[in-house]
Amino acid sequence: MTTPAHPPGPAPVLEPEPLLPVAAPAPAFVGHRQEDAAALRRYTDATEHALAALPAVPGRTAAQQRSAERLHTAVRAARRAFLAHHVDTVYGELTEGLTRRLRLPELLAAAAEHVPGLLPTRAQLDAEQRRIQAHKEGREIDQGLFCGAVLRSPTAGTHLIETMLTPTRRALDLAEEFRGTGRVRLGTVLVERRGHAAHVTFQNTHCLNAEDNRLNADLETAVDLALLDDRVRVGVLRGGEMEHPRYRGRRVFSAGINLRDLRDGAISFVDFLLGRELGTLHKIARGLLTDPAPGAWTERTVAKPWIGAVDSFAIGGGMQLLLVLDRVVAETGAYVALPAAEEGIVPGLGNLRLTRLTGGRLARQIVLGGRRITMADPEARLLCDEVVPPEAMDEAVERAVRELGAPAVAANRRMLNLAEEPLDLYRAYLAEFAVAQVARAYSQDVLAKVEARRQRPSARR
């Protein structure tokens, strides 16, 4: 005897998914600064209201995330359109007709207040800082759009570049101490004057001198101190001895960007991704702006030759650093690499500068294919001036200091740099880099890579 089947129950009622917010019609800018700013603010307010109707990033469904991305895309298009009309006007207002110098963080903060809706607010940025990279809205992308627009302008871009070549407040505060004692410890960097050379030693020892916000700030201060001291004629960059078990007691030049910090949302677009290019690296290449008055660069800047001493390896940002130095000495067992394809981000100005040294084909192998160059490779001669056994490194560095300390070196290296990297070429490249780099930092493939890396031990980070 079979058990009678139960009659079918009512079909489950599926809750309809809430209507997803959509972008409002884009504003039509007319070219009038005040009217367009008011229209932009109304549009961005409406977009933020729509975004606020969605859960925070970690709690969104795939459909909700797509809706959020459409909202961001629409409002960013409106910001780009506004800037296409008014970037020079806005920059002129912020700098009081180019008479006021605002460094990058100050400029962005001032612009956010001056033109509401053009940039993320302080509260929005503070909220982002509390989240890992994958859980952020990507407010820094809007900062990148603004920076790209400013740098595209010959007037505003040149003024910002010059501003970022001025000494930092921290360096000015420490300059007297360095002149008097010849030694300043800056947390992750030690700078010492020995004879007529400033020796700058990276000491981010727990992570193989991986680059982060703090190391970049410390390094820029050290570069400023070396350039401000009249007794210094040459700068030397070298990695200190490591605490990492695999390299304990050995010197390491640099492991590149700290990918754990990138995953945790602790790598700043303003202070690191763009700031190091406009500040630290550009000061090494072009010098320190000490006189804001118009005139020739030779009359307004202090520039000195720089030497790099590569122990173990120079990866990523470490290799980028070598591209602005005047002499590179490496130990026989060292290697260099720009793992842009592996990490998924743009290797700073490496794409601009590497080709000059290696030619286009090898540059593509390094940047696109991840090719590592060891000091035993014939191609190493294109990137390093001298390769010596580890025990001969100190002597080779001192020899380079003597040679580059000659009086005519500074003037000639300045002219070489002007010929190789004219200011307008640098500015145009950086304008595109500002937009491309910050977008890559929030792309899904990069977020997946840094998360996967976090799940496994790494010898480099």
Side-chain angles (χ1 to χ4, degrees):
M1 181 175 180
T2 60
T3 305
H6 292 289
V13 177
L14 298 177
E15 291 290 335
E17 186 167 350
L19 292 175
L20 297 173
V22 295
F29 298 122
V30 297
H32 186 278
R33 155 77 173 85
Q34 299 302 329
E35 291 181 17
D36 288 354
L40 177 66
R41 182 169 191 176
R42 289 192 297 270
Y43 187 67
T44 56
D45 284 349
T47 303
E48 290 299 333
H49 180 75
L51 283 168
L54 296 170
V57 176
R60 289 175 187 166
T61 64
Q64 289 170 334
Q65 183 57 28
R66 287 193 296 271
S67 178
E69 289 169 359
R70 286 192 291 269
L71 290 168
H72 282 301
T73 298
V75 77
R76 285 167 186 155
R79 288 173 175 138
R80 282 196 300 270
F82 176 87
L83 287 166
H85 285 287
H86 303 295
V87 66
D88 278 326
T89 301
V90 170
Y91 190 87
E93 292 167 355
L94 294 170
T95 59
E96 299 175 9
L98 307 183
T99 63
R100 183 183 177 206
R101 293 205 176 272
L102 297 175
R103 293 180 66 80
L104 192 58
E106 300 165 336
L107 176 68
L108 294 171
E113 289 189 12
H114 189 65
V115 186
L118 182 59
L119 285 161
T121 65
R122 182 72 263 166
Q124 289 172 331
L125 292 173
D126 288 344
E128 293 276 84
Q129 287 179 352
R130 295 191 289 269
R131 300 168 180 156
I132 67 171
Q133 194 79 353
H135 293 173
K136 296 183 180 185
E137 288 286 356
R139 303 286 184 183
E140 289 180 317
I141 295 175
D142 300 285
Q143 293 181 317
L145 294 176
F146 178 80
C147 293
V150 169
L151 289 163
R152 258 178 235 112
S153 162
T155 301
T158 301
H159 189 267
L160 176 59
I161 287 168
E162 290 186 356
T163 298
M164 292 298 289
L165 288 177
T166 59
T168 62
R169 171 51 53 189
R170 185 183 181 200
L172 292 173
D173 291 341
L174 291 169
E176 185 176 350
E177 176 185 344
F178 183 65
R179 290 191 189 103
T181 66
R183 190 176 195 270
V184 172
R185 187 176 295 278
L186 299 164
T188 61
V189 169
L190 173 67
V191 54
E192 303 172 286
R193 187 179 59 247
R194 304 178 204 160
H196 62 258
H199 290 256
V200 178
T201 305
F202 311 141
Q203 296 186 325
N204 216 11
T205 56
H206 71 286
C207 57
L208 301 181
N209 285 331
E211 297 177 304
D212 51 32
N213 292 352
R214 184 181 180 189
L215 178 60
N216 180 59
D218 291 343
L219 180 55
E220 182 172 6
T221 301
V223 169
D224 284 354
L225 292 174
L227 293 172
L228 287 168
D229 189 340
D230 292 339
R231 282 177 287 184
V232 171
R233 299 204 300 268
V234 181
V236 178
L237 302 178
R238 193 174 186 182
E241 294 184 358
M242 295 296 101
E243 297 174 0
H244 191 287
R246 184 171 173 182
Y247 291 89
R248 191 180 304 278
R250 290 176 54 186
R251 288 182 181 267
V252 166
F253 191 78
S254 174
I257 189 171
N258 191 318
L259 294 178
R260 289 178 181 169
D261 276 8
L262 179 59
R263 179 265 174 196
D264 292 341
I267 294 293
S268 166
F269 166 71
V270 173
D271 297 320
F272 183 90
L273 294 177
L274 184 58
R276 74 189 287 270
E277 305 298 338
L278 280 165
T280 308
L281 297 187
H282 200 212
K283 287 175 176 177
I284 292 173
R286 203 174 294 272
L288 199 65
L289 185 69
T290 55
D291 184 353
W297 277 97
T298 54
E299 300 168 337
R300 306 170 62 204
T301 58
V302 175
K304 299 172 184 178
W306 288 86
I307 298 163
V310 180
D311 301 277
S312 301
F313 48 75
I315 299 171
M319 183 175 174
Q320 294 166 37
L321 188 52
L322 303 182
L323 304 181
V324 295
L325 303 182
D326 303 287
R327 183 75 60 86
V328 177
V329 179
E331 63 160 311
T332 48
Y335 67 88
V336 297
L338 277 179
E342 176 189 350
E343 296 174 349
I345 57 179
V346 180
L349 270 73
N351 295 315
L352 175 65
R353 293 168 175 154
L354 183 62
T355 306
R356 292 201 300 262
L357 299 178
T358 66
R361 187 54 52 204
L362 181 56
R364 280 168 169 75
Q365 293 173 15
I366 293 170
V367 175
L368 305 182
R371 179 175 174 182
R372 174 187 295 187
I373 304 297
T374 72
M375 294 306 106
D377 295 332
E379 294 85 353
R381 63 183 174 80
L382 300 174
L383 298 164
C384 296
D385 299 280
E386 188 174 5
V387 179
V388 300
E391 63 273 14
M393 283 289 286
D394 291 346
E395 180 184 350
V397 169
E398 289 308 310
R399 184 168 57 252
V401 167
R402 290 193 299 272
E403 292 174 359
L404 294 187
V409 169
N412 280 291
R413 59 94 64 181
R414 185 196 301 271
M415 302 311 292
L416 284 169
N417 287 342
L418 285 173
E420 291 176 345
E421 192 172 288
L423 189 62
D424 280 345
L425 172 63
Y426 169 83
R427 178 181 55 76
Y429 180 96
L430 209 58
E432 301 309 312
F433 168 80
V435 178
Q437 180 71 303
V438 72
R440 292 303 305 154
Y442 286 90
S443 61
Q444 289 302 311
D445 63 301
V446 170
L447 297 177
K449 286 174 182 176
V450 295
E451 185 62 36
R453 183 179 290 271
R454 179 176 177 270
Q455 304 301 324
R456 66 180 189 270
S458 170
R460 280 176 40 204
R461 299 295 193 266

